[in-house]
Amino acid sequence: MQDIASRLRRDGRVAGALYLVVVLAGMVCLAYVPSRTGATLAEAAAHADLFRAGIAAFLMMQIAFLLVPLALYRVLADVDRRAAVLMVALAAVSVPIGLAAVTHRLEALTLLQGADAGEAAQAAFAVSIQRYGYGLRIASLFWGLWLLPFGWLVLRSARLPRLLGLLLVLGGIGYVVKVFGGLVPGFADSAFAQYATLPAALGEIGSCLWLLAFGARQGRMAAPVSRS
């Protein structure tokens, strides 16, 4: 019989490696590239290669994000199978939404590569970037929702530090509040909106690094099924 502790360490490190791809690719496509390429056709044209790299990083992030919850399922399913299934489902839902959103980024890329830099092209570029942002807003709702069962499973099992589980739950709530709060005028400029997802960032990066370095601990196991 395979040693449970060894299996958890191994499966945890696999999940951590995949999570690292999500974290690094996300930093590139969601933070670094937008800060450099700007929101206008002229600004993006000055960093066309970086704009393309951002799209590639986003696609890589989506592939890895589809695999991360499946890897975490192997680590946490015996704690509460229904919660683990919910975790996988909520994360998986965000992937097609994210892929649909990035098609608008691809539309913007065709404008970037075209010779026309007139007002019509600039307006079309701005609309494509805006639609991409709308898609990300919907995807981010599920980026938050999947953290709720994930964090709860960590809190219940202690296979990662419980502080990380708490941060994941708070971060998930922060994502959801930020998405719905964005429908309220003035909310985007509030201090809460600026820091709502900070616990999620700390919890996800912390979970990624912990899993990568240590794997998952044995923690609490579900009661074994008795056999007659």
Side-chain angles (χ1 to χ4, degrees):
M1 180 178 179
Q2 185 181 24
D3 181 72
I4 294 175
S6 297
R7 179 186 64 80
L8 286 172
R9 283 195 298 270
R10 182 200 65 205
D11 291 347
R13 285 181 175 132
V14 170
L18 291 168
Y19 218 150
L20 184 63
V21 176
V22 173
V23 169
L24 294 179
M27 287 179 176
V28 171
C29 67
L30 300 178
Y32 179 70
V33 170
S35 71
R36 295 294 303 275
T37 58
T40 67
L41 181 58
E43 291 172 326
H47 302 89
D49 290 340
L50 190 59
F51 193 91
R52 293 186 190 92
I55 295 174
F58 189 90
L59 294 173
M60 187 181 302
M61 181 183 75
Q62 295 306 296
I63 294 170
F65 193 58
L66 189 60
L67 298 175
V68 165
L70 295 175
L72 288 171
Y73 180 88
R74 291 179 57 86
V75 174
L76 298 167
D78 66 305
V79 177
D80 187 320
R81 192 169 301 276
R82 286 179 295 183
V85 168
L86 181 62
M87 174 187 69
V88 173
L90 290 172
V93 165
S94 75
V95 174
I97 298 173
L99 293 176
V102 83
T103 60
H104 298 296
R105 197 85 173 172
L106 291 169
E107 290 172 0
L109 179 61
T110 62
L111 294 167
L112 201 66
Q113 296 170 332
D116 183 12
E119 291 185 4
Q122 294 179 43
F125 181 87
V127 169
S128 294
I129 295 300
Q130 187 178 53
R131 288 174 176 170
Y132 167 70
Y134 292 155
L136 285 190
R137 183 181 298 180
I138 301 302
S140 69
L141 175 62
F142 294 94
W143 292 347
L145 287 173
W146 91 285
L147 295 177
L148 299 177
F150 178 23
W152 183 81
L153 286 165
V154 171
L155 285 170
R156 183 176 180 186
S157 68
R159 293 194 173 159
L160 282 75
R162 284 197 172 93
L163 176 60
L164 294 175
L166 178 60
L167 288 170
L168 291 169
V169 171
L170 292 176
I173 294 171
Y175 263 111
V176 174
V177 172
K178 186 173 182 178
V179 170
F180 285 99
L183 302 175
V184 179
F187 177 83
D189 299 323
S190 67
F192 179 83
Q194 303 302 316
Y195 297 103
T197 59
L198 180 59
L202 295 174
E204 291 197 87
I205 294 173
S207 297
C208 165
L209 296 178
W210 179 276
L211 287 168
L212 196 60
F214 307 110
R217 302 183 298 202
Q218 189 164 344
R220 296 180 182 174
M221 300 292 294
V225 177
S226 60
R227 295 184 181 182
S228 54

